[in-house]
Amino acid sequence: MEAYTKKIREAAQRLLAEKKVDGVIGFRQGTIPMMSEPVFIRHVDQVNQLVWNSFCGVNLANYLVKRKDRVAVVAKGCDSRNIVLQIQENQFQRQQIYILGAPCHGMVDRRKVWAFLQGREPVQVTENGSQLQVSGKGFDEVLPRQEFLQENCRICTHRNPVLYDELLGEEVPEQSDVDRYEDVRRVEAMTPEERWRHFEDLLAPCIRCYACRNACPMCYCPTCFVDESRPQWVGKTLDATDTRTFHLLRAFHLAGRCTDCGACERACPMNIPVRQLTKKLEKDVKALYGYEAGLVVEGRPPLDTYRPDDPQDFIK
Amino acid sequence: MNSWEPKIIAFLCNWCSYGAADLAGVSRLPYPANIRVIRVPCSGRINPKFILAALRHGADGVWVSGCHPGDCHYIEGNYYARRKFALLKNFLEYTGIEPGRLHFSWISSAEASKFAETAREVVEAVRSVGPARHFIKTKPMWDDVEAPVNAACQAEVG
Ligand code: SF4
Ligand code: SF4
Ligand code: SF4
């Protein structure tokens, strides 16, 4: 994966020198291991900050909404699908964005590595093909990358960018034998009361920091419903009913738009698996309307269109 | 004796179901008094927020009724609504709302008897799942948290 670093720098250098773009959005090394951070490069003499590794899980499409300038952006499979959706939703013109497509091998979940280390502090984490080398004071571990992937990457079926101007490497084989909805089905099989309690427990640690919303490239309303006050749809308290209302509406706003990029879950400081909500909607949109978000620019999103014979057995 | 009566918020489209409710009244067709009607311009106007707001304000059930497909006053509002409701109903039920609480129907302004009949069905369905407590705040939260903490601190300092 780190092989992309060179390619990204070359492309950034070229695009900036030729004045094809005003900036390049990519990643640079973070201040602690396993935390690569987004960076906006404007000058050719900064391109060496750009890196690529297994910790670039942040969805960079988040920085494209309503842009007026021309930028290049590094996009994994999921990021590219969010870009497709943003184009559909008129957030910018296709020609403003130069997409450096990164066929993706899945991103590593730093929390899984931390959990494995059981309190030992990683000082350096490097990768070597399918292995992660984690070292710190008095230890040196070699971990199989595959087993430390983010949950959404484990079941990702669109690792290759669906839209790009150039690819940073060979396309990767797509995973085809994954079960995307195992957890959703498990919840569906419960009784209503069990389901309510399941989500009560799941959401209980939420501190309503809205990081999940802010990290999502599809959450860009100028005024979020949580900030509306006349009428006020969601209370400001940490009461379970307010938290639940926030989560239900947030997820519903992603219906037919979520690409399961995992940026929300990744950003959550309380480790809440919020994708369990969005995935249900993803599953239903696929089953009812045969639609998967962000694969093609043409056509309308599923909630912005209809067929006269759409299913309606739930209507009296 | 249980005196609880279900309270149901009905969002009725001005151009059809609202007319049907009116006609049912004029025709003296009886239907239960548990329904509180809110008139909306189109079933397409219904936002999921409205449905949650109804539950948060103490409704035990929500009923949305609009024009039959093809009859929308705004040509296609109810077609969009249908997709939204299909997903929303599944989704709310997935998170633990009982299936008997949310109801959707197509009722034209001529169908007074369908209106009265559906109203009875909705009320009975909601009655059978009982009062909705899901979205009702029950605790003054900080008192709950603070009281034991304060007590513990007090105990420590003597
Ligand atoms: S969701 Fe897919 S494309 Fe996105 S980071 Fe994970 S594996 Fe890569
Ligand atoms: S809801 Fe989460 S997984 Fe879905 S697009 Fe937004 S950040 Fe990505
Ligand atoms: S990021 Fe986590 S804690 Fe913050 S609002 Fe979202 S779910 Fe709650």
Side-chain angles (χ1 to χ4, degrees), chain A residues 116-133:
Chain A
F116 173 85
L117 293 177
Q118 294 185 317
R120 288 175 296 168
E121 167 117 12
V123 177
Q124 196 177 25
V125 181
T126 53
E127 51 194 297
N128 180 0
S130 61
Q131 290 175 334
L132 289 176
Q133 267 145 343

Side-chain angles (χ1 to χ4, degrees), chain A residues 2 13 15 28 65-67 78 119-120 197 227 254:
Chain A
E2 281 171 329
Q13 168 90 36
L15 292 166
R28 71 174 165 207
V65 173
K66 297 195 177 71
R67 284 211 89 88
C78 51
R120 288 175 296 168
R197 257 189 286 118
D227 297 323
L254 275 313

Side-chain angles (χ1 to χ4, degrees), chain A residues 52-278:
Chain A
W52 189 261
N53 52 38
S54 288
F55 309 105
C56 298
V58 171
N59 191 330
L60 295 181
N62 205 12
Y63 301 100
L64 300 178
V65 173
K66 297 195 177 71
R67 284 211 89 88
K68 300 278 180 270
D69 51 356
R70 298 162 309 159
V71 292
V73 62
V74 189
K76 308 179 286 289
C78 51
D79 306 4
S80 77
R81 290 171 66 199
N82 287 106
I83 293 173
V84 165
L85 290 158
Q86 289 168 335
I87 294 170
Q88 276 186 335
E89 296 177 4
N90 300 315
Q91 292 306 302
F92 45 77
Q93 300 292 316
R94 169 68 183 95
Q95 58 275 16
Q96 277 175 268
I97 309 291
Y98 190 92
I99 306 171
L100 300 168
C104 181
H105 298 80
M107 288 293 150
V108 166
D109 186 340
R110 62 191 188 281
R111 292 185 174 119
K112 288 189 181 169
V113 178
W114 287 336
F116 173 85
L117 293 177
Q118 294 185 317
R120 288 175 296 168
E121 167 117 12
V123 177
Q124 196 177 25
V125 181
T126 53
E127 51 194 297
N128 180 0
S130 61
Q131 290 175 334
L132 289 176
Q133 267 145 343
V134 186
S135 53
K137 203 167 164 223
F139 72 93
D140 230 327
E141 300 270 5
V142 176
L143 311 179
R145 220 178 137 272
Q146 189 63 26
E147 283 168 33
F148 289 83
L149 290 188
Q150 291 182 183
E151 279 306 298
N152 63 311
C153 297
R154 236 177 20 79
I155 53 167
C156 171
T157 52
H158 296 283
R159 293 183 150 182
N160 291 301
V162 294
L163 185 71
Y164 54 84
D165 294 286
E166 66 185 80
L167 272 191
L168 297 167
E170 295 280 301
E171 293 209 347
V172 296
E174 294 290 3
Q175 313 190 94
S176 52
D177 54 346
V178 288
D179 179 0
R180 283 193 60 73
Y181 305 113
E182 193 264 330
D183 53 346
V184 176
R185 281 198 307 270
R186 211 168 43 223
V187 176
E188 283 171 343
M190 300 177 187
T191 66
E193 209 193 317
E194 285 169 344
R195 282 183 290 219
W196 185 267
R197 257 189 286 118
H198 172 78
F199 284 104
E200 207 71 350
D201 294 344
L202 189 131
L203 299 175
C206 176
I207 53 172
R208 297 272 293 289
C209 63
Y210 301 142
C212 48
R213 173 197 70 177
N214 291 7
C216 177
M218 306 318 295
C219 269
Y220 55 70
C221 292
T223 307
C224 176
F225 68 91
V226 301
D227 297 323
E228 288 174 335
S229 57
R230 279 194 231 165
Q232 187 186 50
W233 304 105
V234 190
K236 304 284 188 196
T237 73
L238 281 183
D239 187 281
T241 61
D242 288 334
T243 300
R244 172 81 62 139
T245 307
F246 162 64
H247 279 284
L248 293 182
L249 289 173
R250 182 196 84 89
F252 197 76
H253 286 183
L254 275 313
R257 305 169 69 235
C258 171
T259 60
D260 203 35
C261 70
C264 43
E265 233 170 70
R266 185 172 200 292
C268 177
M270 306 308 287
N271 239 341
I272 299 176
V274 287
R275 287 172 42 252
Q276 247 186 50
L277 293 164
T278 44

Side-chain angles (χ1 to χ4, degrees), chain B:
Chain B
M1 203 186 91
N2 184 358
S3 63
W4 173 76
E5 277 290 324
K7 216 185 297 168
I8 288 136
I9 299 296
F11 294 101
L12 306 182
C13 162
N14 174 48
W15 303 102
C16 51
S17 307
Y18 189 83
D22 210 13
L23 186 60
V26 172
S27 324
R28 309 211 178 271
L29 293 175
Y31 63 88
N34 308 60
I35 312 263
R36 316 290 198 270
V37 175
I38 295 177
R39 178 159 62 152
V40 291
C42 176
S43 53
R45 175 66 184 92
I46 298 300
N47 189 312
K49 289 172 189 172
F50 301 175
I51 294 177
L52 289 184
L55 296 172
R56 289 170 62 86
H57 283 86
D60 300 301
V62 179
W63 172 26
V64 181
S65 189
C67 307
H68 288 276
D71 290 350
C72 177
H73 184 78
Y74 308 100
I75 316 299
E76 50 185 16
N78 53 358
Y79 283 125
Y80 293 110
R82 184 167 61 184
R83 286 201 163 191
K84 192 159 51 179
F85 298 155
L87 290 172
L88 183 69
K89 184 167 161 57
N90 282 352
F91 182 57
L92 291 183
E93 290 174 4
Y94 171 74
T95 59
I97 303 285
E98 299 89 341
R101 296 215 190 274
L102 299 177
H103 299 270
F104 300 90
S105 63
W106 303 139
I107 298 177
S108 82
S109 53
E111 296 175 311
S113 54
K114 178 171 179 186
F115 180 86
E117 203 179 296
T118 311
R120 279 192 292 275
E121 264 178 51
V122 169
V123 172
E124 281 329 302
V126 177
R127 190 188 302 283
S128 69
V129 282
R133 310 301 311 160
H134 294 117
F135 285 96
I136 308 297
K137 294 187 187 180
T138 48
K139 300 182 204 159
M141 192 158 159
W142 292 113
D143 289 359
D144 263 28
V145 176
E146 276 169 11
V149 174
N150 287 348
C153 292
Q154 263 315 316
E156 226 165 86
V157 295

